[in-house]
Amino acid sequence: MDVTAWLLRRIRPRPFVVTALGGTGVRLAVEDELRRRAWQPAPTPVAADMLVVCGPYDTELAQALDRVWEQMPRPRVRVLLDAQDDVARSLNEGGAALASSTEGSSQAPPLADSAHPAPDPSSSHGGDSGRSHEDSGAADASAHSEEHGTHDRSEGASSETADDEGGGDQHADHEHGGHGDHSGHDMHGGGMEMPGGLPMAERAADRDGLTLDRLHVELGPVLADWPAGLRLSLALQGDVVQDAAVSVVGAAPTDTARFWTAPGLGGRELGGPSVEAAAALDSLQRLLAVAGWPDAGATGRRLRDDLLRHGAREAWRARCRRWIRRVRRSRLLRWSTDGLGFVAPDAPEVLRGDVTARWKRRLDTIEAAVAQESAAPRPTDAGAAAQSALDLLPSLLNGQELAAVRLIVASLDPDLEALPADGAEVGHG
Amino acid sequence: MVHTAVFAVCAAASVAAGVAVFRVDSMARATLALLASFVLAAITLLLLDLSYLGVLVILMMTMEMMIMIVFMIMYMMNPAGLMPMTMVHNNRGALAISLAVFAALVTGIFLVPWPDTRPGTPADPTLQLAEAIMGSKMLVMMVIGMVLFATMVAATVLSTARGRYDRYGDRLRRSRPDDPIRGGVGR
Amino acid sequence: MGDPMPLWGMLLLPIGLLLLGYGGAAWSAILTARAAGSPVSLAAATPARETARLLVEQRRTIPGADTLLWRLGGATVPVAAVLAVLVLPVADRAAADLSIGVVWFNAMEVLIWVAVWTVGWGANSAWGLVGAYRFLIQGLAYALPHMFALTTAALGAGSLRVSDIAQAQENLWFAALMPVAFGVYLLSAMAMAYWGPFDPAVARDLAGGAAAELTGVDRLVFRSGRYLMLTAAAAMAVPLFLGGGAGPLLPGWAWTVLKTAAVLALLVWLGHRLPTVRVDRFTEIGWVVLIPATLLQALVVAIVVLVV
């Protein structure tokens, strides 16, 4: 197909960037590179054609990634990157593989270079792969499989949710983890087959005294603008959270310390306030993206990259001041985040207050670096802050709707790389 | 000639969509089939040069069906993969009622003294309709309007579990209401 | 009023809508590139390259999905946009200058409710359904103020015919006579195209919301339909509030295109400049602030019409 090849040569890849615990440094390098190439990161893997995984290999994350990979439409390419890889070269190869890929053939999707052992998706799929294969085969005989054992049909559910095989003997749909109690649905004919072979939602009382369907949705670890390694298991009624549980996916290898406190940030010489500011910029750009202000978020990313590369130069400071003023003066942003996720004053200082208070505090940190105040205003124990954020999350999220959930998580932004290595205790609410 | 053909197609399709409401096995499809039926019926109104009424039916029915769909599916939040469900109940009773209603309506068609159309349709039916409503029938229409509005407000008040004493305290002295979800005005 | 539009004009109408829509998409890409510090020179071609990408991309099939409604919903968006501009007078001629043009526009634009809801529902995804519900709630919050804004424009001209409304502004643009109605119209124009601050239905925090599961041609149709709808809403602002094709030197059609482009550029810019409005908070604004404001505006205009 000449037209297809001609079009393929003209596409600009749309990468979906996933960060594993311990992959912050790689993610920053990737985002910097994407920005200069004007490759716009996709908000969901379904909208992407390139899956970029930053950071060390982790079995649990790999399982989630395989599910996401199955859902990505072809042509597609997977790029695995770890600290020692050449980001620009790997992205080039990924883009080239995409441009030369032949859609619809039985060829395997090209797997771009990776320095560490790339897990074979079919082997890391575990016992689940056979079953999911069967399901899709029954539903659509024309689904042609490829040699990786993945198949054309998506798993049907949302791209972000990574189900933890909670579905028992039936292949659980990503969103309907549990088996339904259908006895109450008087209109259901008995013995009818499940739609698409998927289990129904179960039911439970809601806060207004009605009995409503309950969905189990997993947020993370493969989700855009989301803290690396965080997984949130939600029971939803409509878009309101009834129950939330937190877990950590993967563990940062012990030899790589938390990126933001690592000595010299990969050899770059930056003062303490500048590193704090860069970390705050990184947190804020995620929050702004979640708050539906991607432009301000993108500017935040650019300021972060410039700061990490060149330090706090005069031009940077002028630009940063303008950006801070714009964000701080946004009444609409304040109005959307006021009163959300209030944390009592006995928590670590970075977490206190509502969402607005937390993003304003991050702006203060950046402003201090812009003004070059030498005294770092608040030395914080990132590990303790992350731990108490994890403990607080379930109680903060109960009764909130999804938009508020995303804002609260983005404002707490627990840096799970900073957690003590002996395993995090996770809360349940 | 064209009018007759369009009318025949729309009438048949409207009835077919109405039948589909009870034959499909999903709430969403049933609601959208009903919407299709209403829109096709509105086109026959457009054929009578009642453009205002016709377009208004399309507009109002679209909005109403979308509201209805929310309530139909609100208690069953399984996206698309709804358990196939039958859309008919109490078949015998429903059949009797619908036949009786159909017979009554058909009798009505033949008994009502229809106006003579020989003077021709008015130049602006929308204006005529407005004058009819706002002229001699104005008092009736205003009373009906107020009653409808009062009914809506009363129904909402009665169905709300939380009243102003829950929100503002027993003496209504609270400056900020105590709500589970905060509104946008900041009261 | 006036002669009916010739056949070539009817053909030109969707093409013009498409061109202006592409302009809006390119302007949006330029704003994104400027904010991110990416090369702006590459940005104007971004929508074309994205189109190429989506054309070669695989279409998805999803188990348990209501595929018929899913695909139908996406296709409804561009169709509704083109139908909505049928009553738009370009150079004093509309493709169909209905005597109830304003109501027609409103009816076609409400079809977007059906479209977004079925796209969100059909994909069998929690993200999609939450996005779909968000759009309906937003619709309930903006629909009444929007209708009152349209009614106020019709009231000012004493006609529901769009070309009559444009002609009634020979002396004073309605944007000046009824600023509140104009403001609410711009706001609801963004809301009906789920654009900018009113995009929670397809927002990032829901991984694309109603559009979360769309790929390939389906995504292309849905996304381009959104730009068409935004363009259609911007185009309708011209005869309703901005004097139609009236203007010095240039012919009427050129003024209509210019004004449409200006409104479109403004709407796109606003979408980039503002964060998303949360639906649960906007609903109260819509009912407690916007409805009384538009009603008062209608009252003022009614008095002006009676007295002057």
Side-chain angles (χ1 to χ4, degrees), chain A residues 207-290:
Chain A
R207 64 161 187 235
D208 296 327
L210 300 165
T211 302
L212 296 182
D213 279 8
R214 212 171 145 98
L215 290 179
H216 293 274
V217 176
E218 307 263 347
L219 299 193
V222 184
L223 184 60
D225 311 310
W226 186 256
L230 182 68
R231 169 184 284 172
L232 210 55
S233 311
L234 302 176
L236 293 178
Q237 284 181 329
D239 62 351
V240 177
V241 175
Q242 301 295 316
D243 187 43
V246 180
S247 54
V248 177
V249 175
T254 41
D255 53 318
T256 57
R258 177 191 180 227
F259 173 78
W260 297 110
T261 45
L265 275 181
R268 280 166 285 204
E269 292 305 319
L270 280 173
S274 291
V275 175
E276 293 252 319
L281 277 166
D282 191 40
S283 276
L284 261 179
Q285 60 92 3
R286 267 197 292 275
L287 178 93
L288 290 170
V290 168

Side-chain angles (χ1 to χ4, degrees), chain A residues 104-143:
Chain A
S105 78
S106 59
Q107 220 178 343
L111 200 65
D113 165 61
S114 63
H116 57 77
D120 182 1
S122 59
S123 66
S124 67
H125 217 48
D128 186 49
S129 76
R131 206 160 51 235
S132 67
H133 215 49
E134 236 169 77
D135 277 351
S136 69
D140 179 4
S142 70

Side-chain angles (χ1 to χ4, degrees), chain A residues 288 291-297 299 322-333, chain C residues 27-28 31-32 34-35 190 195-197 199 265-277:
Chain A
L288 290 170
W293 201 1
D295 276 29
T299 309
R322 267 205 307 280
W323 179 78
I324 290 173
R325 205 181 313 132
R326 173 176 295 183
V327 175
R328 201 188 283 281
R329 282 190 186 168
S330 171
R331 296 175 64 177
L332 198 52
L333 183 63
Chain C
W27 171 231
S28 170
L31 287 173
T32 303
R34 240 181 37 188
M190 290 188 279
W195 176 260
D199 63 347
L266 174 74
L267 295 181
V268 171
W269 180 79
L270 279 175
H272 281 262
R273 188 65 185 72
L274 299 170
T276 295
V277 171

Side-chain angles (χ1 to χ4, degrees), chain B residues 37-60:
Chain B
S37 183
F38 279 131
V39 168
L40 289 163
I43 293 177
T44 60
L45 280 180
L46 293 178
L47 290 178
L48 294 173
D49 284 334
L50 294 172
S51 49
Y52 179 74
L53 283 182
V55 176
L56 200 67
V57 167
I58 297 179
L59 170 65
M60 298 315 290

Side-chain angles (χ1 to χ4, degrees), chain C residues 107-169:
Chain C
M108 292 306 113
E109 149 248 300
V110 166
L111 287 182
I112 299 287
W113 291 25
V114 183
V116 174
W117 191 87
T118 45
V119 166
W121 154 266
N124 188 17
S125 146
W127 295 133
L129 193 52
V130 170
Y133 278 161
R134 280 188 187 180
F135 189 72
L136 287 189
I137 298 163
Q138 173 174 298
L140 289 181
Y142 86 77
L144 279 179
H146 174 64
M147 285 179 182
F148 287 136
L150 292 180
T151 311
T152 313
L155 187 65
S159 169
L160 287 169
R161 195 189 292 271
V162 182
S163 57
D164 286 353
I165 297 177
Q167 275 169 10
Q169 302 173 56

